Amino acid sequence: MFARHWIIAVALAAAAPFVSPAAAQERSAVLRGKTILLLRPTIRVGAQSTGGMFEANGTWTEEARRNIAVALANVQERLDNRVVAAPEAYGDANRLAEEYGSLFAAVSASVVNYQFFKGNRLPTKKRDNKADVFDWSVGPGVADLPGARDADFALFIYDYDAYGSTGRKLLQVVAMLGPRIAISSGVHTGYAGLVDLKTGDLLWLNADTHMGGDVRTPDGAEKRVRELLQGFPGSKPDPDTAPAR
């Protein structure tokens, strides 16, 4: 089981050494005076059935979309760059945006599985880690996304929440009291990533498989967005978490 937070930022400034993998993987970076295209977040919210299957819930998903949109608007100034929302897309342009949202999620999951988690590292990623290299991309086609021509980087956000159903929670209790098998109830995964719109290279990634905050509520969505953007390159300190002087 890997650590709760995995953060990595590259190609923006001189990198600092990795800290202990038990805590995180992080590099410092500075990002100033750039235009960041904020793409529509990919959001999936539903229930986790007794058997562990995901059951989509349209009402919860729409609540999460609204709450996360407000939370993102509230933190844009703290990112200390010009942040512009991607224009509304229709037809082929909308399909392209959705495809890249799904591709970003798949690449992020691969980063966690094959570079961050030592037990699963591919041979090439073992070499990358030893050489202090982070080489992942969604491909140069990202330059065709709506609004990409007028920006330097794209900020992708992926959020997946499966809230444990009553049956799942009961199964969890029974499994612990009987055969003492650990069964999880609820899955809360989030990825936030910064992509170079000219090359498609993934420059910064914050991946968390145990996120906090109930995105179905405004306060919970605020907490979720703060966690997703924790360590964003060049961002101003979060006043809610900055140490008092």
Side-chain angles (χ1 to χ4, degrees):
M1 184 69 180
F2 46 85
R4 185 169 180 269
H5 282 82
W6 296 100
I7 308 171
I8 187 163
V10 295
L12 300 178
F18 280 137
V19 297
S20 169
Q25 290 202 26
E26 183 175 5
R27 293 173 180 171
S28 60
V30 178
L31 179 65
R32 292 286 190 276
K34 300 296 184 180
T35 299
I36 299 173
L37 183 69
L38 175 60
L39 300 172
R40 184 185 184 189
T42 300
I43 299 172
R44 299 183 64 200
V45 186
Q48 184 184 38
S49 70
T50 303
M53 299 296 292
F54 177 77
E55 299 175 344
N57 186 303
T59 300
W60 291 353
T61 299
E62 286 306 311
E63 289 173 345
R65 287 191 192 283
R66 289 194 298 269
N67 294 333
I68 288 178
V70 171
L72 284 169
N74 291 340
V75 302
Q76 282 186 24
E77 183 178 349
R78 186 164 58 84
L79 299 183
D80 205 23
N81 286 274
R82 180 172 177 261
V83 180
V84 295
E88 199 70 35
Y90 305 94
D92 291 341
N94 182 57
R95 281 190 290 275
L96 182 66
E98 290 181 348
E99 288 172 0
Y100 266 97
S102 298
L103 177 59
F104 165 72
V107 170
S108 298
S110 294
V111 172
V112 172
N113 287 329
Y114 302 125
Q115 181 151 1
F116 291 161
F117 186 41
K118 292 182 179 180
N120 285 348
R121 279 183 188 162
L122 300 173
T124 54
K125 296 312 171 186
K126 289 180 181 179
R127 292 194 294 271
D128 283 352
N129 271 44
K130 290 180 180 179
D132 211 20
V133 172
F134 184 77
D135 185 18
W136 295 87
S137 176
V138 296
V142 72
D144 296 326
L145 287 172
R149 293 183 179 180
D150 301 318
D152 301 293
F153 305 106
L155 176 58
F156 284 84
I157 290 177
Y158 172 84
D159 180 86
Y160 174 91
D161 287 278
Y163 294 91
S165 63
T166 300
R168 183 69 176 182
K169 293 174 181 177
L170 289 174
L171 177 63
Q172 184 182 37
V173 173
V174 171
M176 285 301 296
L177 293 177
R180 295 189 178 277
I181 298 174
I183 293 179
S184 63
S185 178
V187 180
H188 306 283
T189 298
Y191 308 133
L194 194 66
V195 171
D196 188 325
L197 283 170
K198 294 181 177 61
T199 64
D201 292 343
L202 182 60
L203 305 178
W204 173 86
L205 175 67
N206 186 1
D208 190 339
T209 58
H210 293 79
M211 300 210 77
D214 187 336
V215 294
R216 298 170 297 182
T217 68
D219 288 345
E222 286 278 355
K223 180 178 181 180
R224 179 65 58 86
V225 168
R226 285 200 303 270
E227 289 186 4
L228 282 169
L229 297 180
Q230 180 181 354
F232 188 86
S235 60
K236 299 175 182 177
D238 186 341
D240 294 332
T241 59
R245 293 186 177 181

